[in-house]
Amino acid sequence: MTEARTEVRVQQADFDAGRELDELRLQSRRMGAIASFIGVMRDLNEGDSVSAMTLEHYPGMTEKAITTIVGEARERWPLGAVTVIHRVGPLQPQDQIVFVGVAAAHRGESFAACEFIMDYLKTRAPFWKKERTADGERWVEARAGDESAAQRWQEQ
Amino acid sequence: MTEARTEVRVQQADFDAGRELDELRLQSRRMGAIASFIGVMRDLNEGDSVSAMTLEHYPGMTEKAITTIVGEARERWPLGAVTVIHRVGPLQPQDQIVFVGVAAAHRGESFAACEFIMDYLKTRAPFWKKERTADGERWVEARAGDESAAQRWQEQ
Amino acid sequence: MIRVLFFARLREQLGTAALELEHDGVSTVAAAREALVARGGEQWQLLCADNIITALNQEVVAGDAPLQDGDELAFYPPVTGG
Amino acid sequence: MIRVLFFARLREQLGTAALELEHDGVSTVAAAREALVARGGEQWQLLCADNIITALNQEVVAGDAPLQDGDELAFYPPVTGG
């Protein structure tokens, strides 16, 4: 396989998932599978209604951490183009937060790599969510379930 | 959870994956995860260059079989809206063949259900691919790997 | 009458996409297969191959599934969509 | 000099997003943490919590990682992106 493209973007602006998927698809004539994931802001967390959110990040390190995660995925599976976009700044319910798209020759690899990248991004990339509820603002707590989702890849 | 929408379409026309993803996302304010898959026509199969493909199907049964598969996924995981689109008729390399999009509250469920639906669609829904190579037309052979991918869900 | 359908490679090999079969004396899917082979000749033994799938009224069934007048019965090779 | 950064809840609790620390006598990440607590007072014990992550030049490291003049050292709570 020739060097496949990895694109990582951290941005305040929204993204067009359809355009990203088209770009992944048209990068190669050999990739039969594109798995993707979009994380969406929910209006409910820990049982409380959430009206808005702000995403803080560590500029520079976020891109570096995500690029490292994609590199680890490439060591595990033969992949084509990969695109990861993560938004920062103020967000509203139903806004897109993150996009991960993975092209591969076959679907098993694209699914596994897409889920791997999300599990690692959730637990390794320096982003923090602060949400607004009726009681004011609060930092979102990390979930034990996210850590165990990432850990399970180390047992394989 | 209120009744979530299942949309199944079998059509000759291409589809706009971005629009489908937007519709999945805007169906609910409670779904934080949208996993999706796009199957793409490759220009290579079994080591031979493929210049074109025709997809035959069993009209009526394809929609019914896919709807049943989505129903089985809903019995396994709590899901939001689900969209499955499968194209039929003539296709070129890099054309989109199939779209599966699954919304869920959390990402683990959306990934599992999306892969489950693809694995079952591949082995249960009555579609057949005929491809054109330099030696003429030939029917694509079913892969043992697809059957074992579907079987593994029965062991869980 | 039973409406019988054939798809893909099987349709091409038999040179037939659809036909009508009398329901009389054809009480199961397996009996329909035998009647088709008896009527069509050696080439129709293809219907007996292990990997041929049978669907009755658009649901996959085994050979012992009972047939009723007006049913739609399909024979087809392993599927390759997606 | 070592450039030290704090993020999210920790940044708010310390009331500081960034500061400069003399490199002299601060040879490891753990030593930098001790120097910050000594200099900042009790509230800065927060840096010693088990779940606080340390990144040196934008890579996660343990306390024994050596520091060099000009390094960028970050302290932050568990991440919650994605």
Side-chain angles (χ1 to χ4, degrees), chain B residues 24-135:
Chain B
L24 286 169
R25 177 165 55 89
L26 299 174
Q27 289 272 322
S28 165
R29 297 167 71 84
R30 292 288 147 85
M31 299 297 146
I34 300 170
S36 71
F37 180 82
I38 298 172
V40 181
M41 188 186 151
R42 302 170 71 213
D43 70 352
L44 186 82
N45 191 29
E46 310 273 345
D48 297 314
S49 184
V50 179
S51 60
M53 178 180 276
T54 306
L55 255 156
E56 178 171 334
H57 76 302
Y58 181 172
M61 183 172 169
T62 42
E63 293 86 340
K64 202 167 161 175
I66 295 169
T67 303
T68 299
I69 292 166
V70 174
E72 288 171 20
R74 289 192 183 284
E75 284 174 20
R76 286 169 179 250
W77 301 282
L79 304 178
V82 174
T83 301
V84 181
I85 306 170
H86 203 300
R87 293 180 68 192
V88 292
L91 293 171
Q92 304 293 320
Q94 293 192 318
D95 277 355
Q96 303 185 110
I97 301 173
V98 61
F99 173 87
V100 176
V102 178
H106 302 291
R107 74 185 182 288
E109 295 148 1
S110 67
F111 273 119
C114 188
E115 192 165 12
F116 172 93
I117 291 167
M118 271 307 300
D119 286 347
Y120 273 70
L121 186 156
K122 277 265 185 189
T123 52
R124 306 285 188 269
F127 295 96
W128 301 273
K129 289 174 180 154
K130 191 176 196 177
E131 61 192 11
R132 179 182 299 279
T133 70
D135 295 332

Side-chain angles (χ1 to χ4, degrees), chain D:
Chain D
M1 301 288 274
I2 310 294
R3 181 164 174 75
V4 189
L5 307 175
F6 309 97
F7 290 97
R9 188 201 306 261
L10 195 59
R11 170 179 58 72
E12 286 186 349
Q13 288 169 324
L14 299 177
T16 308
L19 56 77
E20 304 272 314
L21 187 68
E22 290 290 343
H23 179 232
D24 291 353
V26 177
S27 59
T28 65
V29 167
R33 180 164 36 212
E34 281 165 35
L36 288 164
V37 173
R39 164 179 140 162
E42 197 173 343
Q43 176 73 357
W44 290 65
Q45 295 279 0
L46 288 165
L47 296 181
C48 304
D50 277 350
N51 66 354
I52 294 299
I53 295 152
T54 47
L56 180 58
N57 299 325
Q58 308 189 353
E59 294 201 6
V60 173
V61 295
D64 59 357
L67 290 180
Q68 298 196 321
D69 197 41
D71 277 349
E72 178 176 297
L73 174 62
F75 293 85
Y76 57 78
V79 302
T80 56

Side-chain angles (χ1 to χ4, degrees), chain A residues 56-61 64 86 97-98 118 121-130 139-142, chain D residues 5-12 53 55-60 72-74 76-82:
Chain A
E56 177 170 335
H57 76 304
Y58 181 172
M61 183 171 169
K64 203 167 160 176
H86 203 298
I97 301 172
V98 60
M118 271 308 300
L121 185 155
K122 277 264 185 188
T123 50
R124 307 285 187 268
F127 295 95
W128 301 272
K129 288 174 180 152
K130 191 176 196 176
W139 291 99
V140 171
E141 296 292 335
Chain D
L5 307 175
F6 309 97
F7 290 97
R9 188 201 306 261
L10 195 59
R11 170 179 58 72
E12 286 186 349
I53 295 152
L56 180 58
N57 299 325
Q58 308 189 353
E59 294 201 6
V60 173
E72 178 176 297
L73 174 62
Y76 57 78
V79 302
T80 56

Side-chain angles (χ1 to χ4, degrees), chain A residues 75-106:
Chain A
E75 285 174 20
R76 287 170 179 251
W77 302 281
L79 305 177
V82 175
T83 300
V84 181
I85 306 170
H86 203 298
R87 294 179 68 191
V88 293
L91 293 171
Q92 304 293 321
Q94 294 192 317
D95 277 355
Q96 302 185 112
I97 301 172
V98 60
F99 173 88
V100 176
V102 177
H106 302 292

